Amino acid sequence: MHRILLIDDDAQLGAPLAAYFRRFELELVHALTPSNGLAQLAAGGFDAAILDVMLPEMDGFELCRTIRKQGDLPIVMLTARGDVMDRVVGLELGADDYLPKPFEPRELVARLQTVLRRLRAGGAVAGAQGPLEFEGLSIDAARRSVLRHGEALELTGTEFDLLHLLAREPGKVFSRDDILNQLRGHEAELYTRAVDIVVSRLRKKLEPLDCIKTLRNAGYSLALRRSAAPAP
């Protein structure tokens, strides 16, 4: 059973949501404050986190930034009023997905299941084909690790999944809609800005490699040559 940490100061939300999650074999743990949530994350054992934007002590954006510094735990943010700027900021900070409040519990479960399914699928694909080696870049899906000129990069779950998607078929152009649908695993709300944000973050982390190409009005592709040996 996957364990999910909800950090939300609404004391009435945790119990009914936890009961609903159990129907889908998900264990939900509720923390009312960021400090308590961070302490529980530090203890380990969680597969994903749900963060409200409006929180005491620090807002959800700062909390997301703090969690991202510690690892690539999948994060779904609950954005106030579904405001577009909330979504943009959350994605720029490394959130994997977003859901506007008020939300339907079934949709929240679906978003979490998609994130968790991507993690499992990444491992299955890796077992079949092994690490992907390019000039200056090595992508190991089994370990969900990336080496750039031998240096390990810290990528969020969504950043890794996007890079791995492009790397499986280098040179192929993926449209923004293709990327949204493949990474989320369902027909997502059309929000192509989300893809652009993740690509921008990923490009910065891959520098000085210039490997993600933009084809105007078409999409993105990986422009690196395969290497027979591990990247130096």
Side-chain angles (χ1 to χ4, degrees), residues 53-64:
V53 169
M54 304 299 292
L55 289 168
E57 302 177 346
M58 68 175 76
D59 64 28
F61 300 131
E62 182 63 28
L63 181 57
C64 179

Side-chain angles (χ1 to χ4, degrees), residues 10-179:
D10 183 354
Q12 306 303 313
L13 180 62
L17 200 57
Y20 185 81
F21 273 37
R22 282 195 292 271
R23 294 167 53 184
F24 300 90
E25 297 186 349
L26 297 171
E27 178 187 352
L28 185 72
V29 178
H30 187 193
L32 293 171
T33 64
S35 57
N36 180 256
L38 288 172
Q40 295 203 53
L41 287 176
F46 289 98
D47 300 292
I50 305 167
L51 313 180
D52 189 22
V53 169
M54 304 299 292
L55 289 168
E57 302 177 346
M58 68 175 76
D59 64 28
F61 300 131
E62 182 63 28
L63 181 57
C64 179
R65 184 184 293 110
T66 300
I67 294 172
R68 272 289 159 261
K69 291 178 181 177
Q70 301 170 357
D72 62 354
L73 183 78
I75 295 173
V76 175
M77 296 200 72
L78 304 177
T79 61
R81 306 175 307 280
D83 186 81
V84 171
M85 282 309 299
D86 281 357
R87 303 179 193 182
V88 170
V89 172
L91 289 164
E92 287 176 337
L93 293 175
D96 294 280
D97 209 341
Y98 55 83
L99 193 62
K101 276 188 167 184
F103 60 86
E104 289 293 332
R106 185 65 187 92
E107 184 174 4
L108 179 56
V109 167
R111 298 294 179 102
L112 287 167
Q113 288 175 326
T114 296
V115 171
L116 296 169
R117 185 164 56 246
R118 290 203 323 249
L119 294 176
R120 292 195 300 269
V125 170
Q129 65 181 19
L132 301 174
E133 305 288 354
F134 299 90
E135 294 183 351
L137 190 68
S138 176
I139 304 167
D140 188 336
R143 296 180 174 83
R144 294 186 67 81
S145 64
V146 175
L147 298 178
R148 181 203 57 208
H149 293 305
E151 176 187 3
L153 299 182
E154 292 187 7
L155 303 183
T156 69
T158 300
E159 290 165 358
F160 180 88
D161 290 332
L162 172 58
L163 179 60
H164 190 235
L165 173 66
L166 299 178
R168 291 203 302 268
E169 298 184 75
K172 176 180 177 179
V173 179
F174 291 86
S175 72
R176 291 169 176 83
D177 288 348
D178 289 338
I179 293 170

Side-chain angles (χ1 to χ4, degrees), residues 134 137 139 163 166-167 170-172 211-213 220-224:
F134 299 90
L137 190 68
I139 304 167
L163 179 60
L166 299 178
K172 176 180 177 179
C211 53
I212 299 180
K213 298 299 183 183
Y220 298 102
S221 69
L222 188 77
L224 282 181

